[in-house]
Amino acid sequence: MRRSYGRPRARTGSCPERQSIPEGNTVNIKRSGGLVAIALVGALALASCAANEGGAGDPGESTLEGTLTGVGASAQGAAQEGLIAAFQTANPGVNINYSPDGSGAGREAFIGGGAHFAGSDRAFKVDELTGNEFAACAPDSGIVELPLYVSPIAIVFNLEGVSELNLDAATVAGIFNGSITSWDDAAIADLNDGVTLPATTINPVHRADNSGTQENFTAYLAAAAGDVWTSSVSGDWPAELGGEGATGTSGVVSAVEGGAGNVGFIDASRVTANMGVVSVAVGDGFVAPTAEGAAAAVDASPLEDGRDAFDLAIKLDRTTDAAGAYPVSLISYLIGCETYADPAVAELVKAYFSFIASEDGQRVSADSAGSAPISSTLRTQVEAAIEAIS
């Protein structure tokens, strides 16, 4: 039986109104990003509790009204489906639309005023903050960047008879820069004693569009295998490397599943039973792409220097040897204004972000997308930033 990656067991939070959920009691709610199964009783209880924490009131009593538009990371797509469904259950006067068009598209939409908030698999760079005005924000407003979606990036492959491999960073870099071209290469075989590797040609698949997942993946290779990975760190794939490009996470999934010898990288929530999965070298062992591993990597990493108080960009340590940490991870941010031009929008954003940051919101995200719930220490910092939104 193939191991299940990236989906932690649901954790018990502090909501006194939480009810046990009879097995199989689910409802399917369809959003623009697809179909997500949400436990009906659980969603109602979680949304009610989290809405109370955010000041929105019980279902049927909420006074919040209006529409929010978000654009951004496809990695957040499944989580947003679950979060939106739960929040709207508690706040029937609110309509939230999230379009998973990619991190770059999210940042651009937030800059240009096409979105009230963005989802991005990286924070804005400091020079991007000083060089842009954000249309939804009040003049001279700063922005908040909240690390609320933490997930491992799974390196996945299609190789008959092989479901799991161990690889170090240098070997992964060699595979994706084209210097390792066959699955029975000695660099792979030496790390996988007892595994029969076929002489199948390796076909690396990357994102054809600008992708935060891709930027995080290349950041890992540059940090952990810089002598092998000499290309840039970027959301755009280095043109000199070639390989097969696929649009969006779904495109990479289809490409990897569709060709023997193919290998790619995707948010771990999108791993399917048709894929093999890589465990990467950390310290003296190998770590699989789990939510717990991603959370451990985040907890071992500091905030970036030179940021405003409520810009919580984390400098992820890609070379950590912390026990159980999985360094091929992404931190996806929710980005909003510190001060909105429209106070009504500010009220909605503040309530929605508060729900996502709560223990219950993080549990909805974990159940929907296999993300790693943030630590209590990080939650305290996030809540202070959300409180500053006006």
Side-chain angles (χ1 to χ4, degrees):
M1 181 177 295
R2 186 176 303 279
R3 183 182 305 166
S4 175
Y5 293 92
R7 289 190 180 274
R9 181 176 298 174
R11 302 182 180 183
T12 300
S14 59
C15 176
E17 299 177 3
R18 183 170 293 118
Q19 305 173 39
S20 62
I21 303 169
E23 186 176 355
N25 190 4
T26 60
V27 60
N28 287 332
I29 299 179
K30 191 167 185 180
R31 299 293 177 197
S32 59
L35 194 64
V36 58
I38 299 170
L40 176 58
V41 176
L44 291 171
L46 291 177
S48 174
C49 179
N52 286 333
E53 291 171 359
D58 290 324
E61 297 179 358
S62 171
T63 59
L64 284 176
E65 293 184 349
T67 297
L68 279 181
T69 299
V71 177
S74 58
Q76 290 189 31
Q80 286 289 340
E81 289 173 350
L83 291 162
I84 288 169
F87 188 81
Q88 290 181 162
T89 297
N91 301 278
V94 178
N95 184 50
I96 302 175
N97 302 301
Y98 182 82
S99 184
D101 298 336
S103 295
R107 294 191 300 273
E108 291 176 5
F110 184 63
I111 291 169
H116 300 118
F117 68 92
S120 176
D121 292 342
R122 72 160 172 85
F124 276 102
K125 298 175 182 178
V126 173
D127 61 348
E128 293 173 332
L129 295 175
T130 57
N132 282 305
E133 296 291 332
F134 299 94
C137 303
D140 301 321
S141 170
I143 65 170
V144 297
E145 298 195 271
L146 309 176
L148 286 175
Y149 181 86
V150 177
S151 178
I153 298 170
I155 303 166
V156 295
F157 59 89
N158 182 343
L159 203 57
E160 186 175 358
V162 182
S163 61
E164 297 178 357
L165 286 174
N166 294 329
L167 297 176
D168 57 22
T171 305
V172 175
I175 288 171
F176 281 91
N177 73 10
S179 61
I180 297 176
T181 59
S182 177
W183 281 107
D184 64 349
D185 189 283
I188 301 174
D190 289 348
L191 296 169
N192 294 276
D193 289 341
V195 178
T196 301
L197 295 167
T200 303
T201 299
I202 295 173
N203 179 42
V205 179
H206 60 267
R207 287 282 289 269
D209 52 327
N210 184 283
S211 160
T213 303
Q214 189 153 264
E215 185 161 352
N216 278 272
F217 180 70
T218 57
Y220 162 72
L221 296 179
D227 55 337
V228 179
W229 185 263
T230 58
S231 298
S232 61
V233 174
S234 175
D236 295 307
W237 189 250
E240 71 273 12
L241 297 183
E244 179 180 348
T247 300
T249 301
S250 297
V252 176
V253 170
S254 295
V256 171
E257 290 186 323
N262 289 1
V263 59
F265 49 90
I266 57 174
D267 187 89
S269 67
R270 301 295 298 277
V271 173
T272 73
N274 299 321
M275 299 174 176
V277 179
V278 170
S279 293
V280 300
V282 177
D284 295 328
F286 294 89
V287 180
T290 65
E292 292 84 358
V298 171
D299 286 346
S301 303
L303 291 174
E304 290 185 6
D305 293 328
R307 298 275 182 167
D308 290 343
F310 304 125
D311 185 353
L312 304 181
I314 293 174
K315 186 176 181 180
L316 196 57
D317 184 356
R318 306 287 185 181
T319 60
T320 182
D321 58 2
Y326 183 78
V328 199
S329 293
L330 65 82
I331 302 171
S332 202
Y333 295 82
L334 283 179
I335 303 173
C337 303
E338 188 173 331
T339 304
Y340 278 86
D342 185 345
V345 170
E347 181 183 24
L348 294 177
V349 170
K350 190 170 186 175
Y352 187 49
F353 282 13
S354 293
F355 168 53
I356 297 173
S358 70
E359 289 186 40
D360 293 324
Q362 286 290 291
R363 195 164 69 131
V364 169
S365 180
D367 289 346
S368 299
S371 59
I374 60 174
S375 67
S376 58
T377 299
L378 182 54
R379 178 176 291 106
T380 297
Q381 296 171 297
V382 167
E383 288 173 342
I386 294 172
E387 185 60 31
I389 295 175
S390 63

